[in-house]
Amino acid sequence: MSRPLLASRASSEDLDDRAHIEEEALLTGWSARSRYGWKFWREVALFAWATLATVAVIVIAVLYQHMSEGRDGAGDGLGSRMPTGKRNLIFMVSDGMGPTSLSLARSFRQFEAGLGPDDVLELDRHLIGSSRTRSTSSLVTDSAAGATAFSCGLKSYNGAISILPNHQPCGTVMEAAKEAGYRTGLVVTTRLTDATPACFAAHVPQRSQEDRIAEQEVGEHPLGRVVDLMLGGGRCHFLPNNTDGSCRDDDKDVVALAQHHGFSYIDDRAGFDDLKMGASVRLPLLGLVANRDIPYEVDRQSMQDRFPSLDEMARTALEALTRATEHSEQGFFLMIEGSRIDHAGHANDPVAQAHEVLAYDKAFASVLDYIEKSKVETVVVSTSDHETGGLAVARQLHETYPEYLWHPTVLINASSSAEHLSNQLETHRAGNPQEKESELIHFINATLLVDGLGIVDASDEELKRLIERPEESAYLLADAISRRAQVGWTTHGHSAVDVNIYASGVSAEHRLRGNHENTEIGEFLRDYLGVDLDPITRRLQESGIGR
């Protein structure tokens, strides 16, 4: 039958495809009448290739993840990189230091030393994550609950010294480490009976029970002595109340008790110097180098070297513990606290704050130097228990829209903390009870404001407040320099802001990267040392300690 003239014809493209199919059939023997054309099979081949490539990428990624876990440690515990053999752990606590504290101290140092914006602190180079800080009793923790999270790996209420909400003690990583054969140490710039150090070696329901804490720290403890080296302040809690300088409620001589438990004892700078930076330490050592807190770093530097710095004490402890473990199977666990960053925050004192953070950063750098030279696997983890002061490096001084400014140079002009200047004012007034108001004004202006804080434009109102409210002078002086530097504070207490985590060491860097509960830091300390806290907890609870 003939085809109509106007019947639809195949397009030129279809004709080309058909010709191509016919040619392919002649060359390969594949029937040109096959159900599927060459374009179909080409698409099938491309799809298969893409599928195989995707599978290969997934397999490679999974293998890489497993290799990384084997090298770095991950997941529960430390993954396949669970440390074996001898190891050291250095845990550093920057009490009360929030993220803004670093910003303030960094800018202060840059302006003071004429450094560029690229200059950073040693801590900045090792930032790996952040920590959430709430306690069981409040979204805003205190140092006791914060340190209990570190020492026990468990949450508790504000004020608790390694005591849980059910009023039972919890075993600490330092107690477990000592039981496992590690050497242990505490280094602080506040009282050794203060909340953070206490939580590693004592158990009391309330942090205010510092007399009892002192007794437990020197060995009046169900486990015996759990600390080999202690350096810091707080001597008054170790002296009987019939002794000058004591702040105990009873006549118990805790220094004598410590010596009974084998401690060597130093109580001043000369004794500290005799330690020869750790080369001449006889463990166990109790070093109470200040009656209460060691002075702020900005004040300590102008006191003719009467007190050792945090860095000096940290390096002394590292050397002493290294020598003590040189021939042992186990290493050491050392807790170092930059304690008075917190106090500067409570006082809203930006001068003290900047110097305390820089002193802590210097100690952190020394720890890193130690790790680099150590022949024993050593990890450092640094974090804060909370932020103090609600610090902001900006301040709105008037109702009009604020300038985008803050002035580190104002802080550089200060040579003393507000606390030190307040003490000077109290001493001056006590020694000059008949002084005329005009003479007192001159003393306050010339000695405290101009010489101490570098303030040359004090107003009559500011001078009047310092005369009329001497008991508030520390806060008033801190506020005077904060306003001029345009540094803001929201509280004289703590805040709930997340705090930074810093670390050096593959295990810590991998395990603690990102945002964590503070208890996870305590869990890492436990796992890295390979110790079990549960048997310690059972023994403590059976003993009745902490009731």
Side-chain angles (χ1 to χ4, degrees):
M1 182 177 175
S2 63
R3 192 178 192 182
L5 182 63
L6 298 178
S8 61
R9 300 183 179 184
S11 68
S12 59
E13 183 178 349
D14 289 340
L15 292 173
D16 288 342
D17 286 346
R18 186 174 297 171
H20 182 81
I21 293 170
E22 294 292 342
E23 180 180 355
E24 190 77 15
L26 289 172
L27 292 173
T28 64
W30 178 43
S31 173
R33 298 183 183 276
S34 174
R35 182 178 177 183
Y36 301 107
W38 73 275
K39 292 176 71 176
F40 169 81
W41 293 109
R42 181 180 63 182
E43 291 173 0
V44 169
L46 289 172
F47 176 77
W49 180 88
T51 301
L52 289 172
T54 301
V55 171
V57 168
I58 293 172
V59 170
I60 291 170
V62 170
L63 289 173
Y64 178 79
Q65 181 179 357
H66 282 291
M67 290 173 63
S68 297
E69 291 180 3
R71 182 176 63 253
D72 297 339
D76 296 333
L78 294 173
S80 58
R81 199 202 174 280
M82 177 71 75
T84 58
K86 190 173 182 177
R87 74 208 78 143
N88 303 321
L89 176 58
I90 304 162
F91 180 51
M92 299 186 68
V93 179
S94 46
D95 197 320
M97 186 178 81
T100 310
S101 301
L102 273 292
S103 300
L104 180 140
R106 187 188 311 114
S107 295
F108 174 85
R109 188 176 79 162
Q110 289 169 354
F111 276 75
E112 183 183 43
L115 303 170
D118 292 336
D119 178 79
V120 296
L121 304 180
E122 197 62 47
L123 286 162
D124 291 321
R125 304 178 192 276
H126 293 84
L127 175 65
I128 62 166
S130 60
S131 169
R132 307 186 295 275
T133 62
R134 67 186 294 172
S135 70
T136 61
S137 59
S138 177
L139 288 171
V140 181
T141 190
D142 80 328
S143 294
T148 296
F150 301 147
S151 64
C152 294
L154 298 168
K155 294 279 190 182
S156 195
Y157 58 89
N158 286 0
I161 300 296
S162 293
I163 295 286
L164 300 177
N166 65 0
H167 307 295
Q168 292 292 321
C170 53
T172 75
V173 65
M174 184 162 286
E175 292 165 338
K178 182 63 178 174
E179 284 284 299
Y182 288 88
R183 291 286 194 164
T184 58
L186 296 170
V187 172
V188 302
T189 52
T190 186
R191 305 172 310 285
L192 279 163
T193 52
D194 203 9
T196 302
C199 281
F200 287 88
H203 304 269
V204 294
Q206 288 296 329
R207 59 181 294 176
S208 59
Q209 298 171 281
E210 294 189 49
D211 290 355
R212 288 180 61 189
I213 290 167
E215 297 165 26
Q216 293 182 30
E217 286 180 334
V218 301
E220 294 292 290
H221 189 290
L223 304 178
R225 176 176 53 80
V226 298
V227 192
D228 293 305
L229 179 148
M230 290 184 277
L231 289 172
R235 186 168 58 244
C236 69
H237 286 287
F238 292 77
L239 301 176
N241 63 4
N242 54 11
T243 304
D244 288 343
S246 173
C247 57
R248 287 188 65 86
D249 291 331
D250 58 33
D251 61 356
K252 188 172 290 187
D253 188 341
V254 182
V255 170
L257 194 60
Q259 292 170 326
H260 172 75
H261 285 291
F263 278 91
S264 58
Y265 175 61
I266 64 165
D267 64 356
D268 57 16
R269 179 71 204 217
F272 179 82
D273 289 342
D274 287 343
L275 301 177
K276 300 188 185 306
M277 295 303 291
S280 295
V281 169
R282 180 177 68 81
L283 297 180
L285 169 68
L286 174 62
L288 300 170
V289 297
N291 199 47
R292 293 182 183 268
D293 301 324
I294 294 174
Y296 283 124
E297 180 66 13
V298 64
D299 303 319
R300 188 198 68 82
Q301 293 173 349
S302 61
M303 291 181 174
Q304 289 75 51
D305 216 27
R306 282 176 53 201
F307 304 93
S309 67
L310 177 64
D311 181 59
E312 289 176 301
M313 292 192 293
R315 287 189 286 127
T316 296
L318 288 169
E319 179 64 20
L321 293 173
T322 298
R323 288 171 178 259
T325 57
E326 185 176 2
H327 302 296
S328 66
E329 294 182 0
Q330 299 285 35
F332 62 80
F333 172 48
L334 173 63
M335 194 285 291
I336 303 170
E337 183 188 35
S339 320
R340 302 215 65 195
I341 301 170
D342 173 64
H343 294 185
H346 282 296
N348 288 182
D349 187 339
V351 176
Q353 176 93 173
H355 286 272
E356 289 301 304
V357 172
L358 292 178
Y360 183 83
D361 190 66
K362 183 178 181 180
F364 183 77
S366 291
V367 168
L368 293 176
D369 183 63
Y370 171 86
I371 291 173
E372 184 177 350
K373 296 174 182 177
S374 177
K375 297 178 182 179
V376 177
E377 179 182 357
T378 305
V379 161
V380 60
V381 175
S382 169
T383 192
S384 304
D385 45 2
H386 54 76
E387 192 272 348
T388 305
L391 174 63
V393 280
R395 183 163 182 163
Q396 185 163 342
L397 299 173
H398 310 287
E399 292 183 0
T400 56
Y401 194 77
E403 296 179 283
Y404 294 164
L405 292 171
W406 91 273
H407 305 289
T409 51
V410 171
L411 308 185
I412 294 169
N413 294 329
S415 59
S416 299
S417 70
E419 175 185 89
H420 180 70
L421 297 173
S422 177
N423 291 337
Q424 278 189 270
L425 177 59
E426 181 181 358
T427 302
H428 177 84
R429 295 192 71 156
N432 299 275
Q434 305 302 320
E435 186 176 42
K436 295 179 181 179
E437 184 173 294
S438 60
E439 294 172 335
L440 179 58
I441 289 174
H442 176 76
F443 172 80
I444 291 173
N445 190 50
T447 303
L448 306 186
L449 295 170
V450 176
D451 293 345
L453 295 180
I455 293 176
V456 297
D457 60 347
S459 67
D460 291 340
E461 183 62 28
E462 287 176 314
L463 292 168
K464 181 180 178 182
R465 282 197 296 267
L466 285 165
I467 291 172
E468 294 178 348
R469 294 149 57 185
E471 71 283 355
E472 300 177 25
S473 59
Y475 288 161
L476 294 172
L477 291 164
D479 183 63
I481 195 164
S482 291
R483 292 175 67 85
R484 286 165 173 81
Q486 289 189 218
V487 171
W489 306 88
T490 63
T491 178
H492 283 291
H494 299 170
S495 76
V497 69
D498 289 359
V499 294
N500 291 343
I501 303 173
Y502 308 89
S504 179
V506 173
S507 300
E509 291 175 16
H510 186 89
R511 173 83 170 266
L512 296 175
R513 180 170 285 112
N515 184 257
H516 299 270
E517 277 294 335
N518 53 8
T519 50
E520 295 178 66
I521 298 171
E523 291 168 4
F524 171 80
L525 303 181
R526 175 200 66 199
D527 293 345
Y528 178 81
L529 292 175
V531 296
D532 187 356
L533 273 57
D534 290 341
I536 303 296
T537 297
R538 286 193 293 271
R539 289 173 60 185
L540 292 170
Q541 292 181 356
E542 289 168 1
S543 75
I545 191 174
R547 294 176 186 168

